Amino acid sequence: MEGHDEISAARAVRTVIDWKAAGWEELAPHVGRIRLPGWDATTGLVVGSGAALLIDTGSSLREGARLRADVRRLLGPHARVTHIVLTHPHFDHVLGTAVFAGAGTYGAVGVETVLGRGRDALYEDAVRHGLPADEAAEATDVLVVPRHRVSGEWTLDLGDGLQVLLANLGPAHTAHDLVVLVPGNPVTVFCGDLVEESGEPQAGPDAAPGHWPAALDRLLALGGEDARYVPGHGSVVNAAFVRAQRATLVARSGVS
């Protein structure tokens, strides 16, 4: 009976989600996002008929639980996240995943190596950036490795004709960058940290600066000139901003 309630709730709210009341930003009637405190990381939500896709899960189990509660506030008390896409394997985007029991998880092919064998490095990175050690340990102990790995493109059907596209554009910001394109007028593109608006694009030791401009070229080709591009950190931007950030990366790396 609960499964029926979940499906009914998601179907009923496709056009009546009160994003603002839950502190989320509405991008389309069935698409929203929130900028989480601390690292200003974006989490997105796409609501289909009986399906709810979460894009990134926050920096801790505490943030993941907050997102789970938000989904229920937005979609109804029995609603649950059915799909999760992790845009890249950095702590502020993946450490909340374990609270979403039963959700199908998706990541770029190869991300299983980072998340499956690199838990100590992920813990150390989280603590170095200010996450309390106990929260970092708790989250990395139950870290979820995506079961579904995207090597090129993957279409997810969320019901009633709503199909979102997952595209593996790495290596760039990391070796495993995955973006999500949601159809609409305009298209909404969740970019992960391939695009950042609240600061300069960050390139850590796992970045591939020489490949990053080409990844942005592919991003623009997929999204198009009129798309809304949702950065991993910061305000929603347009294609002109993405091209300007590409120029910044070219100047930094010397690769055109």
Side-chain angles (χ1 to χ4, degrees):
M1 189 67 176
E2 180 176 327
H4 175 76
D5 289 345
E6 290 166 357
I7 292 172
S8 298
R11 180 176 294 120
V13 300
R14 271 290 295 274
T15 58
V16 296
I17 303 172
D18 190 351
W19 298 98
K20 187 175 181 180
W24 286 57
E25 177 184 356
E26 180 177 347
L27 303 176
H30 60 288
V31 185
R33 69 98 177 232
I34 191 167
R35 294 166 65 173
L36 294 168
W39 294 275
D40 189 31
T42 282
T43 290
L45 180 65
V46 185
V47 182
S49 175
L53 165 64
L54 197 70
I55 302 161
D56 289 341
T57 62
S59 65
S60 65
L61 297 180
R62 175 173 46 83
E63 281 197 340
R66 177 258 173 95
L67 292 168
R68 182 180 60 193
D70 280 357
V71 170
R72 290 173 177 167
R73 189 174 300 114
L74 288 163
L75 307 184
H78 300 295
R80 66 180 183 88
V81 170
T82 56
H83 302 74
I84 289 172
V85 172
L86 300 178
T87 61
H88 62 288
H90 284 170
F91 82 93
D92 50 332
H93 296 262
V94 304
L95 288 188
T97 308
V99 307
F100 298 98
T105 53
Y106 297 77
V109 67
V111 74
E112 69 276 7
T113 301
V114 178
L115 297 183
R117 303 176 189 171
R119 294 169 190 255
D120 289 345
L122 202 63
Y123 166 84
E124 291 166 4
D125 190 44
V127 172
R128 183 168 58 252
H129 282 87
L131 187 68
D134 59 339
E135 292 193 45
E138 180 185 36
T140 53
D141 280 349
V142 293
L143 193 64
V144 174
V145 177
R147 178 181 178 185
H148 307 290
R149 293 129 194 193
V150 182
S151 59
E153 296 180 358
W154 190 314
T155 300
L156 283 180
D157 189 343
L158 301 183
D160 282 355
L162 177 58
Q163 296 186 327
V164 301
L165 178 70
L166 316 184
N168 182 341
L169 300 188
H173 173 68
T174 71
H176 314 291
D177 295 306
L178 193 62
V179 302
V180 181
L181 288 87
V182 185
N185 188 19
V187 172
T188 301
V189 185
F190 288 91
C191 307
D193 286 2
L194 284 175
V195 179
E196 296 192 45
E197 186 275 336
S198 55
E200 291 293 317
Q202 300 300 303
D206 56 346
H211 295 275
W212 202 332
L216 294 184
D217 288 338
R218 294 195 296 275
L219 182 72
L220 288 164
L222 286 168
E225 187 63 25
D226 297 326
R228 291 170 298 198
Y229 294 89
V230 185
H233 304 265
S235 300
V236 176
V237 300
N238 57 20
F241 181 95
V242 177
R243 284 194 296 272
Q245 194 149 101
R246 182 194 187 281
T248 297
L249 292 164
V250 167
R252 183 189 293 178
S253 67
V255 175
S256 59

